[in-house]
Amino acid sequence: MTAIVSPTPTPTPTSTSTRRRSGLPWLTLPATVWVLAVFAIPTAMLLASSVLTFDGAKVTGPLTTANYTNLFGDNYFWSVLWDTVSISVVVGAVCTAAGLLVAHFIVRSGSPFRTLVLLVVVSPLVSSVVVRTYGWLVLLQDDGLVNQILLWTRLADSPVAFIGSKFAVIVGLVHVLLPFAVFTAMASVQSVDPVLERASRDLGAGPVTTFYRITLPLIRPGLIAGFMLTFAISLGAYASAAILGGGRVQTLATLVRDRMVVSLEWGQAAAIAAVILLISAITVSALAWAGRRSSKGV
């Protein structure tokens, strides 16, 4: 008697893809747990703290909106909010513009100094923000190197009070955040085919026209991303404002510290932090939408 052996069924592409999809949730589980642990849960705790009643660091009452009501009714808060947003906008604009110039030089230039420039850009990342900020504190003092140069060249008759000014805070933040803008712009410039730029010049366009008509529209989404990144980080930056501001320049980050440590108003401190988060989210969402519109327009 001959045994009949049934052929082994060949797995179909549908069954294979189904098994692959069924394993995907397990692959994303570590990343999901990490995001929940370091972002979602702390953010939820922050938002919850902003509507609680505190006596110092202790919760003493039910949910309340008094923290936001008192905050938005304070003219000093609105002044600090305006200073913070204006500083962040200037820092984002300067970093984006300077980052584009440096990135274009590194990517498109044939100069032998490209590696040196890249090392100079990367070098601030090897030290902490506090160390870099204290370096600017030394340079911008009344008897610091910057004032000595100004006096020696007779550009100033007396030492300029940089410390305690918005200018010093902006300089410190630009130094800290410029590498992020440069790397973002480098990725955008590298994505542009050099053939397009050469074709534009072959058709009679100059370097400036080629940049504004060909290169800039193609790298605009990357520039928007660089501005988003530097703006959002500078909005909540503390060290530069606290050290270079000299106590005379208040930002939302330093105001959070004062409300928590000095006046022990933890509820209002949480509300201010929630405002920082809200402004960052709105700005990033709006610029991301503009970036998508810009990329579709290209």
Side-chain angles (χ1 to χ4, degrees):
M1 184 174 61
T2 304
I4 300 175
V5 180
S6 60
T8 303
T10 303
T12 61
T14 304
S15 61
T16 303
S17 61
T18 302
R19 286 197 299 270
R20 289 176 179 175
R21 285 196 299 268
S22 63
L24 286 179
W26 296 105
L27 295 177
T28 59
L29 181 61
T32 304
V33 172
W34 177 258
V35 170
L36 288 174
V38 304
F39 180 75
I41 295 177
T43 301
M45 294 173 62
L46 169 68
L47 297 177
S49 299
S50 67
V51 292
L52 293 175
T53 303
F54 283 87
D55 182 10
K58 182 185 296 185
V59 178
T60 58
L63 299 179
T64 179
T65 59
N67 294 324
Y68 290 98
T69 304
N70 296 333
L71 186 66
F72 294 147
D74 186 1
N75 292 330
Y76 181 69
F77 164 76
W78 290 107
S79 175
V80 174
L81 175 62
W82 169 253
D83 289 342
T84 304
V85 173
S86 60
I87 289 174
S88 301
V89 169
V90 172
V91 170
V94 172
C95 287
T96 303
L100 174 58
L101 295 177
V102 175
H104 197 274
F105 174 81
I106 294 174
V107 175
R108 290 288 188 260
S109 172
S111 172
F113 298 104
R114 289 186 303 171
T115 304
L116 178 61
V117 173
L118 184 59
L119 289 176
V120 171
V121 171
V122 175
S123 60
L125 299 178
V126 301
S127 60
S128 69
V129 175
V130 176
V131 171
R132 284 175 277 172
T133 304
Y134 270 107
W136 280 109
L137 181 65
V138 173
L139 292 174
L140 297 177
Q141 290 280 5
D142 290 348
D143 56 349
L145 179 62
V146 175
N147 267 310
Q148 290 181 11
I149 294 175
L150 292 177
L151 294 175
W152 180 68
T153 56
R154 300 189 182 278
L155 294 176
D157 298 328
S158 59
V160 180
F162 290 115
I163 303 302
S165 66
K166 293 180 183 179
F167 174 79
V169 177
I170 291 172
V171 169
L173 287 173
V174 168
H175 181 224
V176 170
L177 300 178
L178 183 59
F180 300 101
V182 171
F183 295 147
T184 305
M186 282 179 61
S188 298
V189 175
Q190 286 176 335
S191 66
V192 178
D193 193 345
V195 174
L196 298 175
E197 297 173 342
R198 289 197 296 269
S200 175
R201 290 193 293 268
D202 291 341
L203 293 174
V208 176
T209 303
T210 298
F211 176 78
Y212 281 103
R213 298 292 298 273
I214 304 298
T215 307
L216 186 59
L218 294 174
I219 65 175
R220 190 181 297 127
L223 298 182
I224 293 175
F227 180 86
M228 282 193 305
L229 184 62
T230 53
F231 174 85
I233 296 176
S234 61
L235 195 66
Y238 172 78
S240 297
I243 297 173
L244 298 176
R248 294 189 291 273
V249 177
Q250 277 277 31
T251 62
L252 290 178
T254 59
L255 188 59
V256 169
R257 184 261 178 193
D258 290 345
R259 294 293 167 89
M260 289 195 68
V261 178
V262 179
S263 59
L264 298 179
E265 297 176 290
W266 281 40
Q268 279 209 9
I272 297 171
V275 170
I276 296 175
L277 182 63
L278 179 62
I279 295 174
S280 299
I282 293 175
T283 304
V284 169
S285 300
L287 290 177
W289 175 81
R292 288 193 298 269
R293 289 289 300 270
S294 175
S295 60
K296 290 180 180 178
V298 173

